[in-house]
Amino acid sequence: MTDIFFPALAMGAIGLFLGILLAFASKIFAVEKDERAEAITEVLPGANCGSCGYAGCSAYAAAISSKGAKINACSPGGQQVADAIAEIMGVQAEAVEEKCAVVLCHGETETATDKYIYEGIEDCSLEATLQGGGHKACAYGCLGFGSCAAVCQNNAIKIENGIAVVDYDKCGGCGECEQACPKKLIKIVKKSTKYIVKCSSCDKGADMKAKCSVGCIGCKICEKNCPVQAITVENNHAVIDYDKCIGCGICAEKCPKKIIIELHPEEKKVEKTAKKS
């Protein structure tokens, strides 16, 4: 009997000792939960898109509560989320600079030339791996199969005339489409942006003309006429410095290919209508 009793007693004592040790260790090394970080995570949209500059909503919430990160960096959440975070943190709400996605390609079915007829799986990422980067003659052009639209949680992107088109009113600027585009044609800009260059081609003018009738030819007319030097031609296509741009529209007016597009032309229509009334 003793042969069984004493070993069992010893094992029980060891188990009790280890249990006490673990309980003690859990108290000593316990990581306190940051209730504010948890509350902030709850009010964030949960997109985990990274537009705030952090790996996801939880990481952003932790950075706000413990590292003093800005509370207005969540573009998809907008002002409503920023206000909610401000209330949790007990600080003044900061204004959110809303963002949206822009597609820097204007090569529609009627204006862009194709190298061949593609009859495979309609997926931009897959076709972009083919020789020449896809069916379009312009290697920089939108393939138009909607890989960007497939990841958009707001249904803000659709394919029209062979290219992706963004509904800026629906777009939250999360950046999911930017990551999904294999051609890197989609960029996230401030919604207050006045003009964009809807072309990403780096081909020289003569080559561009043969591939797309509306592509930037790198003529530098926009660059020469900009009163604040906000637009320059780099790698054969025009690039706007939005920090310098004053939205005068001279570049768009002078562009011979009309590839510099006003981002929100409807706003001017509303203003004109208001003035007439």
Side-chain angles (χ1 to χ4, degrees), residues 8 21 31 33 42 75 79 84-85 104-107 134 139 146 164 168 177 184 205 216 226 232 244 257 263 275:
L21 186 64
V31 177
K33 288 185 178 181
E42 287 295 320
S75 182
Q79 194 63 51
I85 295 173
L104 303 184
C105 177
H106 206 44
Y168 303 123
C177 56
K184 304 304 176 187
C216 178
C226 180
T232 54
K244 292 182 179 180
K257 306 301 288 186
L263 193 61
K275 286 180 180 179

Side-chain angles (χ1 to χ4, degrees), residues 104-206:
L104 303 184
C105 177
H106 206 44
E108 298 179 348
T109 303
E110 298 82 6
T111 56
T113 304
D114 290 343
K115 296 194 294 282
Y116 53 81
I117 297 174
Y118 176 74
E119 295 183 341
I121 298 172
E122 294 189 354
D123 180 82
C124 300
S125 298
L126 179 61
E127 196 198 349
T129 63
L130 301 179
Q131 186 175 4
H135 66 279
K136 281 195 172 179
C138 176
Y140 306 91
C142 175
L143 295 173
F145 288 136
S147 291
C148 51
V151 299
C152 181
Q153 299 180 35
N154 295 333
N155 296 318
I157 304 180
K158 56 184 177 180
I159 304 301
E160 294 181 357
N161 297 324
I163 62 170
V165 177
V166 179
D167 183 332
Y168 303 123
D169 291 328
K170 291 182 179 179
C171 180
C174 69
E176 291 285 349
C177 56
E178 181 181 29
Q179 296 175 38
C181 178
K183 296 287 187 174
K184 304 304 176 187
L185 299 173
I186 301 178
K187 303 297 179 186
I188 303 300
V189 301
K190 295 177 181 178
K191 278 192 176 181
S192 58
T193 298
K194 300 297 183 182
Y195 291 89
I196 59 172
V197 181
K198 278 189 70 68
C199 182
S200 299
S201 173
C202 293
D203 289 331
K204 292 183 178 180

Side-chain angles (χ1 to χ4, degrees), residues 42-65:
E42 287 295 320
V43 301
L44 288 169
N48 294 312
C49 59
S51 65
C52 58
Y54 295 89
C57 293
S58 295
Y60 178 44
I64 293 173
S65 64

Side-chain angles (χ1 to χ4, degrees), residues 11-25:
M11 290 297 293
I14 293 172
L16 179 62
F17 172 75
L18 291 175
I20 295 171
L21 186 64
L22 287 172
F24 180 73

Side-chain angles (χ1 to χ4, degrees), residues 194-229:
K194 300 297 183 182
Y195 291 89
I196 59 172
V197 181
K198 278 189 70 68
C199 182
S200 299
S201 173
C202 293
D203 289 331
K204 292 183 178 180
D207 295 332
M208 186 72 261
K209 287 179 180 179
K211 298 174 181 178
C212 181
S213 62
V214 295
C216 178
I217 56 176
C219 64
K220 295 193 176 184
I221 290 177
C222 55
E223 180 179 307
K224 293 173 183 176
N225 284 276
C226 180
V228 292
Q229 292 78 50

Side-chain angles (χ1 to χ4, degrees), residues 70-73 78-79 82-83 92-98:
K70 290 187 176 182
I71 67 172
N72 63 344
Q79 194 63 51
D83 292 342
Q92 184 72 28
E94 299 175 10
V96 175
E97 183 66 70
E98 294 187 340

